[in-house]
Amino acid sequence: MKLESILLGVLARHPSTGYDLKKFLDMHGRFMRSNTQMSQVYRSLGKMESRGWVSHTVQERAGATDAKTYRITHEGLTVFLDWLTGPYSPPTRFQDPDLGVRLAFAGFMSREQLLHLLDVELTTRREEVARYRFRDRSPIGTAVDDHATFDEDLATLVSEWAHEGGAQAMDAYLEHLELLRRVVLDAPEGTAGSELISRLHDIR
């Protein structure tokens, strides 16, 4: 997940300083991208400004470093929306943040675009369940170096524990996506956000 996509999404909602953007990444965006340094934020802002995606104004502050406030440009907004609503290829691991980052900016999508995004993810993950859930999980080979001790029974136990945990996580993930899809699909156009949230809780 490119840092630029996240920064553009935040700036599309409101102008921000580099400090504001770092604070967002540390709090609300901590599951979108991990361990982003301030230097990375400013480096990305510099690159985006050179491309014409953002601009900045300077606010002078007595006794302190001047503050730069960044704003997304028309070109930057076009780049962001092209990424957000463009083709989506689900990553190998459903735990990766790609979908979550897009969903975090769902307010910039139409309902049809959001439903399409959810359908792509659901189709991909259901196909993965069908392909891998009941795969042969027998160990590949049994040879162990003479100097190494290997407990086959313990290894099998942990492997099965991991498989069951992964299956439960995938099932819960699919159920959660289907819940969101159902609420978005069934609610009339123009339904207020508070009512959408109420519908979400009612279905649960």
Side-chain angles (χ1 to χ4, degrees):
M1 174 55 56
K2 290 186 177 180
L3 176 58
E4 287 84 355
S5 299
I6 300 174
L7 297 181
L8 286 173
V10 177
L11 292 174
R13 295 198 65 180
H14 49 74
S16 303
T17 64
Y19 174 81
D20 293 332
L21 293 168
K22 178 64 165 63
K23 185 176 179 181
F24 171 87
L25 290 165
D26 289 343
M27 299 293 292
H28 301 292
R30 64 187 304 233
F31 296 112
M32 298 181 185
R33 180 185 171 91
S34 61
N35 302 322
T36 303
Q37 303 301 312
M38 183 64 84
S39 59
Q40 293 174 290
V41 173
Y42 281 117
R43 190 159 52 246
S44 294
L45 287 170
K47 289 179 181 177
M48 291 192 295
E49 189 160 25
S50 67
R51 294 168 181 162
W53 298 354
V54 302
S55 62
H56 78 269
T57 55
V58 178
Q59 177 185 357
E60 296 182 0
R61 298 186 297 184
T65 304
D66 294 345
K68 291 182 177 180
T69 299
Y70 292 86
R71 291 171 172 78
I72 194 168
T73 64
H74 178 74
E75 184 177 353
L77 182 59
T78 299
V79 169
F80 170 70
L81 294 177
D82 284 348
W83 163 77
L84 181 66
T85 62
Y88 167 63
S89 298
T92 303
R93 300 172 66 255
F94 78 90
Q95 298 95 333
D96 288 350
D98 299 52
L99 179 70
V101 173
R102 285 175 167 81
L103 292 180
F105 300 112
F108 291 105
M109 301 181 197
S110 67
R111 289 196 183 195
E112 291 72 20
Q113 289 168 333
L114 175 56
L115 288 170
H116 174 71
L117 179 64
L118 294 174
D119 285 341
V120 171
E121 180 74 4
L122 283 165
T123 298
T124 298
R125 302 311 174 192
R126 286 167 180 154
E127 289 174 350
E128 289 177 348
V129 169
R131 186 180 306 122
Y132 300 117
R133 177 66 56 88
F134 303 106
R135 69 186 184 278
D136 180 8
R137 298 191 298 281
S138 303
I140 303 176
T142 56
V144 177
D145 188 283
D146 291 341
H147 300 288
T149 301
F150 188 80
D151 188 329
E152 190 73 48
D153 293 329
L154 185 61
T156 300
L157 168 66
V158 174
S159 176
E160 284 303 298
W161 168 83
H163 175 75
E164 289 182 13
Q168 291 171 7
M170 175 64 86
D171 291 343
Y173 175 71
L174 290 173
E175 182 180 352
H176 207 48
L177 286 179
E178 289 163 353
L179 172 62
L180 175 60
R181 186 186 187 282
R182 196 155 61 248
V183 171
V184 173
L185 185 63
D186 293 345
E189 195 72 33
T191 303
S194 57
E195 185 176 339
L196 288 173
I197 295 172
S198 178
R199 287 170 180 260
L200 184 69
H201 293 161
D202 289 344
I203 293 177
R204 246 185 217 148

